[in-house]
Structure formats: C-alpha cells, structure tokens
Amino acid sequence: MNEMFLLQLAFIMILAFVHVTAGWLLCLSFIPRSAWLSFSGGVSIAYVFLHIFPELEQAQQSLEEFNIIYFLEHHAYFVALIGLSFFYGLERFLLKRNHPAPTGDKAKPGKGSGKWIFWLHIGSFSLYNALIGYLMVYRDSSISEEFFYFLAMAFHFLVNDHSLYHHHNRRYLHYGRWVLSAAIILGWLVGLYVELSEAATGMLFAFVAGGIILNVLKEELPEERNSRILPFIFGGVSYSALLFLG
C-alpha cells in the first residue's frame, strides 16, 4: 500500500464520518444561522473560486481531445452549467412539495417529504457523493492538493447535511446519512478499479463543480437563512490563506 492510497482511505473515511455525525446538525438549526455553517459556506466558496474555476480550465483542455462528443469538446463550463442546473431544478422541485420551515428563534424542519421524494433527493446526492469519491482517485494531484480537496469537501458535506435534514427531518437521520456515507466510499472504491479517460474525468469534475457552486450558494444567499457574514468571510479567508501557504 502506497502513501497516497492510505491518505485517500483516511480522507474518504472521514468524509463518510461527516455524514454519520449528521445528528449534530440538530444543534446547528438556529436562526440566525450557525456560525459554523456560515464558516463552512465561506470555505466552500473559496474552494470554488481558487480551485474549481482553474481546474475547469484544465478540464476544458482535456475535453478538446474528446472528439466523440463534438458539441462539448470546447465547453467544460457548459458541463458545469448542466450540473448547476440539475441541482437547481431538483431543489425547486422539492421546494414546491415541502412546507417551508417557519422562521423564529429556531428553524424547525417541516414534517418531511414523501418517501419517493426523499429517495429521489438522496439518490441524486448519492450520485454526487460517489462522483466526489471517484474524483479523489483521479485528480493527478499532490498530497497537499488532496488535503485541500478533502478539507473543502468535508465542510461542503456539513452544509449539504444541514440542507437535507431541513428537507427531510428525521428520515434523513435514520436512513439518508448512511446512504450518503456509503456512496462516497463506493465511489472511491470504483475509482480504484475503473479508470476513465482524462477527458471523461474532466467532464465528471465539471458536472460536480456545477453542483458544488449551486449547493453552496443556495445555502448562503437566501435572506431567510440570515447567514453570518463575519464567519463566512473568515472561512473564505482562512481557506484561501491555507491554499496560498500550501
């Protein structure tokens, strides 16, 4: 076992553990928004601007050689837009079918969605997690870049867990978090044995990038979230400083 394999194994298990500990989110559901969630949003936004956008440019260069899908060969950003649009459409679909949480001293989740809506939501995020786990293997990155990827995804999962708990209440704690934990491990295991072309991997990263952008912004920008600006800025600045120092 080489050093990179053991490092990735540790990172994947910690990322899965983030979902397992989603019950802690019961303590983070206050309005105004928990400082930890706004801090996590700041870290994720910094990752978007300092890592995702530059890597999308690299993905675009890979897609130029992917002549099978001609209309995408110069459009990594279009694939990212597809990812963003997919998760935006999913979010709007769910909002129309769930009662919004009331505002006040504490934001209580609604009664929860129907089972088929729940599994549709969890299934979509399971695919998302599996792709994130898969990309842990095929990033052609150094140990420091693997660490920054892991750190950003850990905070990003914290924000996603909060959103999913808000939508599905106890059902997410009973079932959803375990499915998402398994999905990221499964994606990583698939990555160990199934190698796609560089261009195809670039497309997957671009799709995930669009999902990350949407899932971060939808949690921080809405007025009813009453997000905390100072923790948000501190999270972004702290993560940026780590990147520059690394």
Side-chain angles (χ1 to χ4, degrees):
M1 293 186 182
N2 59 39
E3 183 181 25
M4 185 62 76
F5 172 85
L6 294 175
L7 184 67
Q8 290 178 358
L9 175 62
F11 286 166
I12 287 294
M13 297 309 296
I14 295 173
L15 288 176
F17 186 70
V18 171
H19 288 307
V20 171
T21 58
W24 179 55
L25 296 172
L26 294 171
C27 302
L28 300 181
S29 297
F30 291 94
I31 296 295
R33 188 177 181 84
S34 166
W36 277 108
L37 289 174
S38 287
F39 178 88
S40 299
V43 170
S44 300
I45 285 292
Y47 180 77
V48 166
F49 279 91
L50 299 180
H51 255 266
I52 288 182
F53 287 164
E55 291 200 29
L56 281 180
E57 181 62 30
Q58 296 179 12
Q60 174 136 344
Q61 294 175 8
S62 298
L63 289 179
E64 290 177 358
E65 302 174 1
F66 199 33
N67 295 321
I68 296 176
I69 305 180
Y70 178 77
F71 72 99
L72 291 180
E73 67 177 358
H74 299 295
H75 293 90
Y77 289 96
F78 178 66
V79 180
L81 178 61
I82 292 174
L84 186 151
S85 300
F86 172 80
F87 283 98
Y88 178 71
L90 178 65
E91 191 72 14
R92 296 305 303 172
F93 175 80
L94 289 166
L95 285 176
K96 289 182 179 180
R97 286 158 176 78
N98 289 335
H99 296 292
T103 57
D105 293 333
K106 186 174 182 179
K108 299 179 181 178
K111 295 180 180 179
S113 57
K115 284 187 177 180
W116 74 273
I117 295 177
F118 168 75
W119 287 114
L120 173 64
H121 207 183
I122 293 302
S124 300
F125 272 88
S126 295
L127 174 61
Y128 181 69
N129 273 20
L131 291 176
I132 288 173
Y134 181 89
L135 291 170
M136 177 73 77
V137 179
Y138 293 108
R139 289 174 47 79
D140 295 325
S141 56
S142 64
I143 291 178
S144 63
E145 289 176 338
E146 288 280 359
F147 171 74
F148 289 129
Y149 178 74
F150 151 74
L151 186 63
M153 292 303 100
F155 281 109
H156 181 53
F157 284 173
L158 179 62
V159 174
N160 283 351
D161 276 327
H162 182 267
S163 175
L164 290 166
Y165 170 71
H166 178 82
H167 277 300
H168 304 293
N169 202 355
R170 295 286 179 176
R171 188 175 285 149
Y172 178 69
L173 297 182
H174 290 163
Y175 308 107
R177 59 176 173 155
W178 301 103
V179 175
L180 295 189
S181 297
I184 190 167
I185 296 173
L186 179 61
W188 178 70
L189 290 174
V190 170
L192 295 177
Y193 298 100
V194 179
E195 182 176 1
L196 300 177
S197 68
E198 183 179 352
T201 302
M203 288 182 64
L204 292 179
F205 181 79
F207 180 83
V208 169
I212 292 174
I213 294 169
L214 187 280
N215 287 312
V216 170
L217 294 182
K218 76 178 177 63
E219 286 301 307
E220 283 299 319
L221 293 185
E223 182 179 356
E224 65 270 16
R225 296 291 193 271
N226 201 0
S227 301
R228 298 190 178 186
I229 185 62
L230 290 181
F232 180 83
I233 293 175
F234 183 65
V237 170
S238 299
Y239 185 78
S240 300
L242 283 176
L243 284 177
F244 293 141
L245 292 174

